Amino acid sequence: MAKRTRVKDIFTGRIGQEYRVMGWVRTFRNNQFIALNDGSCLANLQVVVDFENTDPDLLKRITTGASLSILGNLIASQGKGQSVELSATEITVLGDCDAEIYPLQPKKHSLEFLREIAHLRFRTNTFSAVFRVRHALAYAIHKFFNDRNFVYLHSPIITGSDAEGAGEMFQVTTLDLNKVPKNDDGSINFKKDFFAKATNLTVSGQLEAELGALALSDVYTFGPTFRAENSNTSRHLAEFWMIEPEVAFNDLNDNMDLAEDMLKYLISYALDNCAEDLVFLEQRLTEEEKVKPQQERSEMALTEKLRFCLDQPFERLTYTEAIEILKNSTPNKKGKFQYPIEKWGADLQSEHERYLVEKHFKKPVILTNYPKEIKAFYMRMDDDGKTVRAMDVLFPGIGEIIGGSQREERYDVLLSRMKEMHIPAEEMSWFLDTRRFGTVPHAGFGLGFERLVQFVTGMTNIRDVIPFPRFPGNAEF
Ligand code: 4AD
Ligand code: MG
């Protein structure tokens, strides 16, 4: 058996040469033309069948969804739409597919329907394109950091601490939920649990990344994170992947520079390496937007929007400046915001973030120096005692794509912040130790990987950019 050649490589193959291809039938037209796809690229390979000399029983088994191994000769295409095609000399059915009951008919299916058959949706143009782009972005992230001498640190998935202090965690336990051991005071006796303490799935690898950065200087994590927040939105998942660089000796400005460089690098990597898929996804999005009301449509096509983000510096401003803009904005005055902005201190909702990015500045925005009350305990306190050195990067159509900060490196200040915010300092002596033994200024951030993939692919719902989404009420597959 000749070795398999990927469909992608067939398109640059040699005319007259014999190749073996394997893949799935997308369509079979006139008992003569098979559109074969193996996921290596968007395009199908046209395979020409000599139907007069082919066993009719075999022809009947060539149905949409069936998997085939085909030997044939590469010829210049007679028809329109492709440059080459394979003239089949031998066809073997690897797996039959009953077209009557196969859920993926050769027609347009809604994304909602495809989400229900997520085990098969990889076989559609849209999802194969999305997952190839997702792969390219994951690879580019490692390349970006490797080229800059960062160390990839694997932070634990099971932890005993709440890195964000937000309490939206999934518990990890081997206790029998029908017979939970109790202490005398009625509380749960976690001493009897697997780790002899209460544990949960991590919400962020940041605290561990900080420990690494205070020795290796430049580190990043890239792993799954979990949040039990009950948000059924198009931008939240219960299980998502986060990239968290952490850099010793960096301040907030360095942190913003790193975030901006990284996002621009990743977007241009996708433009350079995923052109075929992005053109397809752009057409898909344009079609999708046609049914939307005029004012909700994006003013730019997908790749134009991506290039637009590369061409100019992101707008940098403080939370305080942003609040002034929002307070005086037309939607705020006309009562168009669901959460009106009345005074300094208000937490920003996605509607406000998107107003700043899409309407006011019309480019990506980095907001800094938020009120300490609405940010995590580890952010460095500003001299005014009111704001912290936080930064959120806001993107068109997405809102917050990155959240980060310069960290509080001063032992006393950190300890008192932890007490103020009821963070159990006793249990986190390991974290405080870095501030006791050779502390340094440092900064880092978290990029939500799926939000990045959403932005680059133009997919509207975050559930469509991760193979098997987890969200409230759903852990299928
Ligand atoms: O802003 P967040 O909560 O920041 C942190 O977790 C910090 N520890 C990061 C750091 O400084 N090292 O989350 C960071 C990013 C958000 O900006 C968003 O892109 C994404 O993670 N994110 C989510 N993505 C999908 N589903 C969710 N439920 C998400 N929650 C946050
Ligand atoms: Mg955040």
Side-chain angles (χ1 to χ4, degrees):
M1 207 193 244
K3 255 180 76 185
R4 169 171 84 100
T5 303
R6 284 178 177 72
V7 166
K8 180 180 192 229
D9 299 324
I10 292 279
F11 291 117
T12 50
R14 256 198 301 135
I15 300 289
Q17 173 138 346
E18 182 175 71
Y19 290 100
R20 178 175 295 280
V21 293
M22 299 184 195
W24 292 264
V25 177
R26 284 291 177 82
T27 56
F28 185 33
R29 260 191 314 124
N30 305 342
N31 253 353
Q32 199 178 4
F33 301 109
I34 303 171
L36 192 82
N37 192 288
D38 69 356
S40 60
C41 61
L42 186 76
N44 300 323
L45 174 66
Q46 171 144 298
V47 179
V48 189
V49 181
D50 175 8
F51 64 97
E52 281 165 349
N53 297 306
T54 305
D55 175 3
D57 286 335
L58 175 63
L59 287 176
K60 271 194 219 126
R61 295 172 66 196
I62 306 176
T63 56
T64 294
S67 49
L68 307 178
S69 171
I70 302 170
L71 194 65
N73 297 308
L74 197 64
I75 55 174
S77 179
Q78 320 291 308
K80 282 194 302 217
Q82 65 274 322
S83 57
V84 294
E85 55 195 31
L86 199 72
S87 168
T89 51
E90 179 208 297
I91 299 177
T92 314
V93 178
L94 298 174
D96 289 289
C97 180
D98 183 346
E100 295 279 304
I101 54 169
Y102 185 49
L104 272 185
Q105 296 298 316
K107 63 161 198 176
K108 202 170 152 45
H109 293 290
S110 74
L111 294 173
E112 289 75 17
F113 171 71
L114 292 172
R115 220 171 283 146
E116 285 167 23
I117 53 161
H119 57 303
L120 295 171
R121 67 179 178 169
F122 298 108
R123 295 185 185 190
T124 63
N125 283 341
T126 298
F127 286 95
S128 64
V130 165
F131 292 117
R132 278 188 299 268
V133 174
R134 183 178 164 112
H135 160 78
L137 288 168
Y139 173 76
I141 283 159
H142 288 300
K143 182 162 166 49
F144 175 85
F145 286 121
N146 188 63
D147 289 351
R148 284 159 187 75
N149 287 303
F150 279 63
V151 173
Y152 178 27
L153 209 70
H154 297 95
S155 47
I157 288 170
I158 300 174
T159 96
S161 60
D162 176 3
E164 288 302 295
E168 291 156 336
M169 297 177 300
F170 290 101
Q171 278 211 343
V172 175
T173 181
T174 53
L175 291 178
D176 180 349
L177 295 183
N178 295 309
K179 283 199 307 269
V180 179
K182 297 276 174 71
N183 296 313
D184 291 344
D185 64 0
S187 60
I188 298 167
N189 182 2
F190 283 108
K191 290 255 167 355
K192 293 256 162 69
D193 204 348
F194 189 90
F195 297 106
K197 65 189 283 196
T199 52
N200 47 267
L201 295 177
T202 187
V203 295
S204 155
Q206 176 195 325
L207 302 189
E208 291 85 0
E210 283 190 53
L211 312 178
L214 267 78
L216 299 161
S217 295
D218 306 82
V219 303
Y220 72 105
T221 71
F222 184 179
T225 46
F226 307 86
R227 299 204 182 168
E229 51 195 338
N230 208 351
S231 8
N232 249 313
T233 78
S234 58
R235 303 175 315 118
H236 288 88
L237 289 167
E239 177 178 297
F240 63 100
W241 287 64
M242 193 161 28
I243 298 98
E244 297 183 273
E246 193 68 36
V247 184
F249 319 111
N250 266 10
D251 65 13
L252 188 62
N253 279 319
D254 304 320
N255 208 31
M256 286 193 275
D257 291 343
L258 181 65
E260 186 167 340
D261 285 352
M262 174 179 179
L263 287 167
K264 287 180 168 169
Y265 176 91
L266 296 175
I267 292 167
S268 58
Y269 186 90
L271 282 167
D272 292 346
N273 292 276
C274 307
E276 187 192 27
D277 287 326
L278 290 181
V279 167
F280 171 79
L281 290 165
E282 170 166 294
Q283 285 160 356
R284 190 208 68 82
L285 184 61
T286 309
E287 284 300 310
E288 185 186 277
E289 296 221 318
K290 277 189 189 150
V291 299
K292 283 194 194 163
Q294 186 77 39
Q295 67 271 22
E296 281 175 36
R297 283 185 217 161
S298 166
E299 287 165 21
M300 281 184 231
L302 180 63
T303 51
E304 193 188 351
K305 195 175 70 179
L306 298 181
R307 276 197 199 88
F308 179 76
C309 282
L310 302 179
D311 290 346
Q312 50 192 330
F314 296 178
E315 187 73 31
R316 299 180 183 190
L317 71 159
T318 64
Y319 166 91
T320 305
E321 290 163 332
I323 282 290
E324 279 310 305
I325 294 171
L326 288 167
K327 255 203 311 210
N328 299 319
S329 69
T330 317
N332 198 50
K333 287 185 176 156
K334 290 199 170 157
K336 290 275 163 64
F337 284 142
Q338 199 187 337
Y339 298 89
I341 296 285
E342 274 147 15
K343 55 177 195 295
W344 192 91
D347 204 352
L348 298 186
Q349 306 295 327
S350 140
E351 57 179 346
H352 309 127
E353 298 173 340
R354 293 186 59 176
Y355 172 82
L356 290 170
V357 173
E358 291 159 32
K359 299 278 184 292
H360 191 83
F361 291 111
K362 295 188 190 291
K363 57 173 156 165
V365 168
I366 312 184
L367 286 190
T368 61
N369 306 84
Y370 283 71
K372 63 176 195 230
E373 285 78 16
I374 57 173
K375 289 291 179 190
F377 70 93
Y378 50 69
M379 299 191 179
R380 195 181 199 281
M381 186 71 73
D382 282 318
D383 295 340
D384 64 6
K386 289 199 283 195
T387 56
V388 288
R389 273 180 216 171
M391 62 167 219
D392 276 7
V393 182
L394 313 178
F395 255 43
I398 304 286
E400 178 190 338
I401 196 164
I402 280 181
S405 70
Q406 186 176 333
R407 315 307 188 188
E408 184 53 79
E409 86 284 14
R410 298 162 297 184
Y411 179 83
D412 296 337
V413 184
L414 181 59
L415 186 63
S416 74
R417 278 300 282 155
M418 287 170 87
K419 289 199 173 133
E420 249 171 65
M421 296 179 77
H422 309 291
I423 308 287
E426 333 58 75
E427 289 167 28
M428 288 176 67
S429 57
W430 47 271
F431 186 64
L432 283 156
D433 267 359
T434 51
R435 276 65 171 173
R436 293 207 298 153
F437 306 128
T439 191
V440 294
H442 60 288
F445 60 82
L447 165 65
F449 186 48
E450 284 73 21
R451 293 199 186 165
L452 172 73
V453 181
Q454 261 192 293
F455 180 71
V456 173
T457 60
M459 297 300 285
T460 324
N461 195 315
I462 198 165
R463 297 171 189 178
D464 295 333
V465 298
I466 186 164
F468 301 106
R470 270 79 182 94
F471 51 90
N474 187 293
E476 211 50 55
F477 311 104

